[in-house]
Amino acid sequence: GESDFDELFGHRFDEVRSRAAVPGTIDALDRMQDELRELAIGLVVPRVACHSDLRPKHVVARVTGGAAERGHVVGLVDWSCLDRRGLPLYDLVHLITSERAQLPGSSSRRAWQEVQDPGVLARHERSALEAYERALDLPPEWRTVITRAYPVLFGAMAEAHWDYSRPRWLRRLFGIGAE
């Protein structure tokens, strides 16, 4: 419902909007919030423990065999951004987006665009997202909500947990309001 949307997303939008500093970005955030409200209201999703800053450097893996083999995840570190009643799927979307943004020739904006298009994602990325969604019985529309809201969710997490603020950050990194 409306109050659930406001509880889950409202304060996050308020936080990043207060730091946006550019009228075009603020307008774009208003439009994004309205669009996501329409998509999210009526969806039933659980609240989960969420590693709100899950990035490749926070994943501990053990490689068995050689460097050519994939590792097996044995742990996650740096739980300082733990959200005990977090948004399902956000941590995995953040991991994938962060990893893609580090690729040569990529950027945060490009990675965000890519994570919104399942056809662009690698098989292992799609497989991980689908397994997460199945495990929590998430409605398919939820991925759209989380991937579109990603810059706001990331920005709000950063403002709440890091020692410095980032005015104009959403515009510079993700192009929000730069059209």
Side-chain angles (χ1 to χ4, degrees):
E2 189 79 29
S3 63
D4 297 316
F5 180 85
D6 290 338
E7 176 193 341
L8 296 173
F9 293 95
H11 67 283
R12 291 172 167 101
F13 271 92
D14 291 345
E15 181 67 36
V16 297
R17 191 181 292 112
S18 74
R19 313 261 190 217
V22 178
T25 302
I26 294 167
D27 292 343
L29 289 169
D30 290 342
R31 288 190 302 274
M32 181 189 287
Q33 187 171 7
D34 291 343
E35 174 190 327
L36 292 175
R37 179 179 279 111
E38 291 297 318
L39 287 170
I41 289 180
L43 300 180
V44 176
V45 297
R47 300 295 293 272
V48 299
C50 178
H51 188 305
S52 295
D53 192 27
L54 188 59
R55 300 182 270 167
K57 73 179 192 173
H58 295 149
V59 177
V60 179
R62 180 177 345 139
V63 178
T64 54
E69 291 188 33
R70 292 195 176 263
H72 299 285
V73 174
V74 294
L76 304 175
V77 298
D78 189 0
W79 287 89
S80 62
C81 295
L82 172 65
D83 184 351
R84 294 183 191 281
R85 292 189 31 81
L87 299 169
L89 205 60
Y90 168 72
D91 44 8
L92 182 56
V93 166
H94 184 49
L95 175 65
I96 293 168
T97 306
S98 298
E99 189 169 39
R100 287 181 155 270
Q102 300 304 311
L103 295 173
S106 192
S107 66
S108 296
R109 183 178 190 173
R110 181 174 179 181
W112 175 45
Q113 291 167 337
E114 291 171 347
V115 80
Q116 293 178 72
D117 182 357
V120 173
L121 297 176
R123 193 172 100 215
H124 71 277
E125 293 167 329
R126 283 192 313 272
S127 176
L129 289 164
E130 290 164 2
Y132 192 130
E133 291 164 338
R134 273 192 313 276
L136 293 180
D137 196 25
L138 296 174
E141 301 87 357
W142 186 248
R143 187 189 306 184
T144 301
V145 170
I146 293 298
T147 58
R148 287 190 186 165
Y150 173 75
V152 171
L153 301 175
F154 181 36
M157 179 279 302
E159 290 294 347
H161 292 94
W162 296 349
D163 291 341
Y164 56 91
S165 184
R166 289 146 298 282
R168 296 181 174 81
W169 191 67
L170 291 181
R171 183 181 182 100
R172 188 177 74 251
L173 283 185
F174 298 103
I176 296 176
E179 296 80 40

